[in-house]
Every structure is written in C-alpha cells, then in structure tokens.
Amino acid sequence: MSHDLRFALGTLCLLALTASLFATSCRSSEPTAPPSAPTARAERERAPCLDRSATRNAYFGELHVHTARSLDAFTFETAASPEDAYRFAKGEPLVFAGGREVRLERPLDFSAVTDHASTMGELRLCTDPASPVYDHRICRVVRSEGGVDSTEDFENFRSAQNVVMGRGVATPLRNAELCGDDFELCKRAMDSVWTEHRRAAERFQDRSERCAFTTFNGYEYTATPNFAKVHRNVIFRNEIVPERVIAWVDEPDRWGLWERLDRECIEAGTGCDALTIPHNSNMSNGNMFAIDYRDEPIAEQRRKAALWQKLEPLIETMQTKGSMECRNGLWQVYGTPDPLCDFEKWRALDPAPEPCRGSPEAGAILGKGCQSRLDFARYALVEGLREEARIGVNPIKLGNTASTDMHNANPGDTEETSFDGVLGVNDQRPEQRLVRHMQANAPASFNPGGLVGVWATENTRDALFDSMKARETFGTSGTRIRPRFFGGWDLAADLCGAADFLTRAYAEGVPMGADLPTRRGADTPTFAVAAERDPGAPGLRSLPLQKIQIVKAWAGEGEAMHQRVFDVAGDAQSEASVDVATCEPIGAGYDALCGVWRDPDFDPDQHAVYYARVVENPSGRWSTYECNRYDAAERPETCDDPILPKVIQERAWTSPIWYNPAS
C-alpha cells in the first residue's frame, strides 16, 4: 500500500493512527464466544498504600490509548495488545510496527486502555479464521487481502470501513451482513474483547502496599455523526463493570449513553461507578457541548443538565490532535487575544476556518465546516455558566485533563525529544513523521500529546477516581509540572511563604475542581496558585518555569462571552528563548512559583470561572529535534516550511474553580 494511500485511509478511519497484535494473533483462531469474566475483587480488600498523603500526591497517567483491538489501529499494522500497553506504561519495551523498539523514559502511575467500542466485535470476527463471517467481502477488505493499491480497491476498502464504523452518517447501525439481523454475532464478539480488556486490567493492577501502578477499565464511545467528532472515553472506577460496553453503533445518542451508564452502573447497587471524558472537541463543529434540550419542559432540562454534570466531570484538554483550551478569533468572544491560545492547533491558524455563529455544523474530521467556540474548553465552561444562570444547574462543569490518543499501544509517550509517532508503519521513519503536516488539515499536525495529572491521597483506583469525580485534576502538554490551585474568601496574602501552605489552603479554601464556598459580606475571592517544575529524570532534560497565569471567563449580554488572562507569578516579560539550530534553551527561569491573587474586577452578581495555566520556558518542538538530526543536504523540505512551529512552550492547566452568585 502506498504512503499517501495509507495516510488517506487513516484520515478516513477516525484520522487513525496505528495497528495491531491481530496482524499475527488473528491467524491463531481466537475465540469469538465471551470467556468468563474476571472474579470481582473489591478495592476495599487491597493493602493500604505506603505512600499516602492527606494533602494529596501528584500522580501522572494516561486515559486514552488504542491497541490492536481498535479497527483504525489495525489498519497500520501495529502488533500490540492491551497487556502490551500496560507493560509499556510500566516502563517495559514495546516493538512498534516496522520493528522499532520503544520504551518510556519515565513509567506512568496509572493507565487505561480505551479501544473503540463500535468496532470491537466486527474486527474480532474479521480476524478470527474460526468466525462464521471470516470470508465475508467486508472482512476480506478489512484485512487488506490482495493489497489495496488501486483507486478501485481503495474505494472498496473505504466503503467497507465506513460500513463497519458508521462513518459519514447521522445515525449509525451495525451491518446485518456481518452481524445478523439481531446483531448479536457482533455483540458477542465485542463481549469477548471487553473481557480480554478486563483481564488485562486486572493482571496489571498492583494491589500490594507499593501501589506502584494502577489500571482502569475503559473504552471509547466513538460518536462521529457526519464526520464531526463527538467522541468520549468511558472510564470505570474498578473491576465491577457492565458485562457489555455501550457502543455508538448500538446507542447513537449521548443521552442514551449517560442514562444507561447511570442505570446499569452507578445506580445499580453493585459497586460500579463510571465517568465520561470528551476529547477532540476541536473537531466537533460545535456538537460536543451543544445544548440540545432547551425546547423541553424546564424540569426535564434540569434533569438532563444534572445528569450531564454527574456523568461528565472532566475534559481532555490536550492530546496528539491538538489543544482544546481556547482559540482566538471566535464568534462573540471578547477580551484581549491570548497568544498562548495558538498552541498546537489542529485546524489552520491562517487561513482560519469560518467561525460558527450559533448552530453546529459537520465535517471537521475532513477539515470542513465551521469552528465553534464550543469546540474549546474555555468557552464550553462559559456556556455552562450561562445554563446555571438560566435553569439553576450547570451541565458543563469540567475539570482539565490530557492524554495522548496514541494508536501504537504506547500510553504516556509524550517526550518531545523522542517522539515516536502515532501512525504505525507510516511513522516508522522520521521523514514520514515530518511530512505529516503537509497532508493533514493542520499547520503542524500531530504532537506527542499530554498527560493526566491527579491530586490524590494515594495511587489506588478509589483514591484516583474520587479525585477525578471531584475534578482535582490537571492536564499537561506532556511535561510533569505539578500545579496547585485554591480559592476562597480568607486566603492569607502571605500563604506562599508558609511552611504549612497546603494544610492551610485546604482548611481555608477549596482546591481546583470545586465551587467557591458561600460568599461572606462584600468580600472578593482570593486565589492561591503554586507550581513546581518538571523534575526530569536521568538523561532527560527538565526546563524551568516561566510564569503562572489565572484565566477568568464569564458570560456577557446576549450571546457574548468574555475572557481575561492575569499574570500572577514569574516573569511575564521573560526573554528566555531557544537556539533552534541546537534546541539549547537560553535564559533563566524558576524551579517553583507561587502567587496569591485577588480578582480586581469581581462582580458578586456575575457567574464566573477561574483556572490556572502554568507555562515553561520555550523549548524545541519535536519536529525541530527531528530536523536537527539530519545533515543540511538531507533535511526534508518540511523542516524549512514556515508554517511548521520550531519552538513551543510546554504547559499545565489546572481544573477550574467556579463562582455562583446563588452561593
């Protein structure tokens, strides 16, 4: 298969990335009937952790990675299973498509594997020689038998993939040719894959007192109506999970997803608990956070808003397909442009896509349709404030996280200096990785993605999940900055110098992810923010911090949204830079920063949301490191393309703190 054809195919396969252990194990006749589920072992039975802190430890992990069990990954020939992904997360080597051996520079504290639910069953049936549909036309083209090099073959392949994945349609449906009229053949095969995932998570869950590594059961609910991304990952608290995943092809409405998770898991009385995390809202054409219940009775509106808030406490603010924090130039967003909003944008900055002016559209996966302000977390949060003011319930109350969305089964592989790519055999050579931006819909295309940060008392499923539900989380662009953020009415101005900073901050205020407590008198809220630089590791460079900012956002009159960014600590006028010829950093920075800030424009009658952004000194982008490894005469022309960023600033985003006048 040609290079261009593989990339086009990957774009049409969820802008896919890599491939699968099925490339070899599918020939060994894996069973299609679901094996018995792992024996439930409640987390309360585990040993207490030796490393435990009442004021929380920072744990870094990954909640979005794909393996061979995802159809789009299978396309690019990676040979890796869910078990391989967990081994990689713990620091063991992994062989990528093309034969490269890759290893994490720093192991993760926790991880989930989130393969696409919609195609789990179909892929297993098409790759298991014992399945009754193994020789079906669709299965043959999914396996690329006979090659996919001609235009006709490619069109057949694309059509087959779209049939299986429900791509390009408003409401998907399983294919009866493959699955039978009741679709049970595909659903039972899907069950067998889900059981495999659960067994892998149990095998690598550390229940010893070391608490060295934690696993979560999860999958991706891959809603892609008319080529707009409305994808969510479903993450479960523990090993008590529904026997069958809820896939978009079976439940094509997000409200149906949330209703069923609530009914079949959270309220079932079994110990099951779940949350959803939206990702790639930057490619949703405004659909991800569209408020679609305003024509219903007010009681039903409030019920739906409460269900949304209950099931979806987090957002994936950063991943390999860009940053979802914010973007300049969007419809009715007022305030001074924020230059840091230009960071890792998937859709071009210049010319920018047409801003959406209210109604959602479609086609963003293909680079089509408008770019909505609701494609970005900052403005989605303001939409939630608007709803809270209107009906008394905030449906879009999201804490920040980040992940990678890698399709190489390589969770947490985020170092810029050793970017391993995301497209399997198409990314096995540096020149393939570098040329990607010229073929995608982006100025710079893929990046290494980000990490989830969780402040938790210990590294266990319960502790981490409790903190995720409480939104005491942060996302990073791949670095391991440790940010803290507190708000209150009585935080002392000298808190930063206090030896008991954390004890007092928790006692006198609320942490990231919470609401400001009930307002007292005419007080103005005060926020304390602190951060420590990424400590690095042997052979791995750590960059100093440059500054901490607090972002405030609120709703204005009519459809208006407002934003303002305040520099709180560090050097807002820093002259730190990078020698792009060597990627050597230039200039001084900070090992740690702290600031106490009082909102100078506080309006007690106005809903508002605040979060902190911690920024490192400038560093070389992964593509600059790659380009610098070539001799001048051999450098790909990509390296001299002016739209390819040479320098980035790694960062971390805390979860917000909300102010509600009703409090």
Side-chain angles (χ1 to χ4, degrees), residues 7 38 79 120 158 291 470 497 518 522 537 609 634 653:
F7 180 76
M120 282 181 179
R158 181 177 66 177
I291 306 296
T518 302
V609 62
E634 298 176 350
W653 303 269

Side-chain angles (χ1 to χ4, degrees), residues 60 106 479-482 532-538 540-542:
F60 290 91
R106 290 181 281 186
T479 182
R480 299 200 183 191
I481 298 169
R482 291 164 169 77
E532 297 175 350
R533 71 186 283 176
D534 183 335
L540 194 64
R541 172 178 287 161
S542 161

Side-chain angles (χ1 to χ4, degrees), residues 342-549:
D342 291 344
F343 177 66
E344 294 293 354
K345 286 291 160 288
W346 182 259
R347 300 186 72 179
L349 294 170
D350 185 20
E354 182 71 18
C356 299
R357 289 171 169 80
S359 299
E361 294 186 6
I365 288 178
L366 305 178
K368 298 178 180 179
C370 61
Q371 181 92 75
S372 173
R373 60 188 183 178
L374 296 187
D375 289 351
F376 297 94
R378 183 183 295 178
Y379 316 116
L381 290 170
V382 177
E383 189 75 356
L385 297 179
R386 193 191 308 279
E387 282 299 281
E388 186 170 50
R390 187 180 72 86
I391 64 173
V393 184
N394 184 344
I396 310 175
K397 202 161 188 179
L398 303 170
N400 281 317
T401 72
S403 282
T404 66
D405 194 9
M406 295 294 187
H407 285 54
N408 288 315
N410 55 329
D413 195 5
T414 62
E415 296 295 342
E416 298 282 330
T417 57
S418 60
F419 180 44
D420 297 309
V422 294
L423 292 172
V425 292
N426 267 29
D427 269 359
Q428 60 185 312
R429 297 191 306 278
E431 59 269 26
Q432 292 174 300
R433 299 194 285 275
L434 286 166
V435 78
R436 192 69 59 239
H437 85 283
M438 290 182 169
Q439 297 175 313
N441 302 310
S445 193
F446 302 109
N447 71 82
L451 295 174
V452 186
V454 179
W455 290 107
T457 54
E458 59 185 0
N459 187 21
T460 62
R461 285 174 172 170
D462 279 337
L464 293 170
F465 199 86
D466 284 343
S467 290
M468 287 191 276
K469 294 278 273 194
R471 307 178 190 87
E472 198 166 355
T473 63
F474 57 98
T476 84
S477 59
T479 182
R480 299 200 183 191
I481 298 169
R482 291 164 169 77
R484 296 277 197 171
F485 187 44
F486 296 90
W489 305 100
D490 301 311
L491 297 181
D494 64 351
L495 194 59
C496 282
D500 57 350
F501 172 92
L502 291 175
T503 302
R504 289 175 55 189
Y506 275 110
E508 299 169 10
V510 295
M512 63 179 83
D515 294 282
L516 283 168
T518 302
R519 180 170 165 266
R520 290 182 288 276
D523 289 341
T524 297
T526 304
F527 298 88
V529 58
E532 297 175 350
R533 71 186 283 176
D534 183 335
L540 194 64
R541 172 178 287 161
S542 161
L543 283 178
L545 304 178
Q546 183 184 92
K547 59 186 175 183
I548 298 178
Q549 300 174 308

